[in-house]
Amino acid sequence: MTALDPDKEIPRHIAIIMDGNGRWAAARDLPRREGHRAGAESVEDVLRACGDLGVDYLTLYAFSSENWKRPESEIDALMGLLAHFLQEKTPTLMKNNIRLRVIGHLERLPERNRRQVRESIERTAANDGLTLVVALSYGSREEIVDAARALMRKAKAGVLDPEDLDGATFAEHLHTAGIPDPDLLVRTSGECRVSNFLLWQISYAEIVISEVLWPDFRREHLEAAIAEYQRRHRRFGGL
Ligand code: FPP
């Protein structure tokens, strides 16, 4: 057991790159979709743990803009899982005062999934406990280009003077507008890449790589990542 330090802060915002579902399935001679299914159980466990620990925001990289290149059967399985998760779990989100937000290009999802996501967002909108941010058809470079385009339109329309543009204004045009930057970024399965996830927002995040494959990732592994975060001294570029 890794003990959390009661005198040190719990990260307010944790972002997770859930990786290793495919390898987990391959090691058991199972189809990849079974890895994703098992991964959905980890999502539940981690969500519960974040609620208990008093984390304010949990952002999960569920489907990247690059994931559309995967075989259709795997995409269908992932979309099906997501739809199932939202249908089954929205009452649990309500009971636990969890608000759902989505970042990414939701409009690229099949209509059925889009509807389900929108319904869950609307139903949970007034909850003020943990915010679960799910990245769906999300890519950080696209998000930054989207923000640049929106800002250029405003400049062209004369409602924004380019000289007035600063980091805070730029951040307000990202999909994560209003969400504080992650304090801790966790990637599972031992991979040490950022994979086009929250490039702007993780500027000062502590990065913890867990060797555990996502379907095996549980509260104890999250607590180990938080304990590592607590051991580090965050300086934000100062002394
Ligand atoms: C990466 O593993 C994982 C994904 C691309 C999808 C993660 C999605 C879930 C866990 C489904 C449930 C999510 C929610 C929010 C309900 P990989 O397939 O890249 O694994 P590999 O690197 O071992 O091949």
Side-chain angles (χ1 to χ4, degrees), residues 35-47:
H36 298 315
R37 192 151 70 185
E41 289 174 27
S42 306
V43 169
E44 274 199 71
D45 201 63
V46 164
L47 199 52

Side-chain angles (χ1 to χ4, degrees), residues 18-23 32 36 39-40 43 62 67 70 78 85 214:
M18 308 179 288
D19 197 10
N21 295 353
R23 276 162 284 165
R32 293 177 61 84
H36 298 315
V43 169
N67 285 154
R70 293 198 178 191
L78 272 167
F85 183 90
W214 178 251

Side-chain angles (χ1 to χ4, degrees), residues 34-117:
E34 292 303 322
H36 298 315
R37 192 151 70 185
E41 289 174 27
S42 306
V43 169
E44 274 199 71
D45 201 63
V46 164
L47 199 52
R48 223 174 287 123
C50 283
D52 294 346
L53 292 166
V55 172
D56 288 337
Y57 295 86
L58 171 68
T59 300
L60 299 176
Y61 206 1
F63 196 90
S64 75
S65 33
E66 286 81 23
N67 285 154
W68 290 114
K69 292 184 214 139
R70 293 198 178 191
E72 210 175 305
S73 59
E74 188 177 343
I75 294 176
D76 286 350
L78 272 167
M79 292 296 153
L81 252 176
L82 184 80
H84 181 76
F85 183 90
L86 289 178
Q87 209 154 42
E88 290 273 300
K89 303 297 170 196
T90 301
T92 315
L93 298 182
M94 292 305 294
K95 203 172 86 197
N96 293 287
N97 197 21
I98 298 170
R99 184 163 75 127
L100 177 70
R101 260 188 78 161
V102 164
I103 54 171
H105 282 279
L106 194 57
E107 74 279 4
R108 293 193 195 144
L109 265 63
E111 169 55 28
R112 194 171 91 92
N113 303 104
R114 239 173 15 219
R115 205 176 46 239
Q116 254 147 355
V117 174

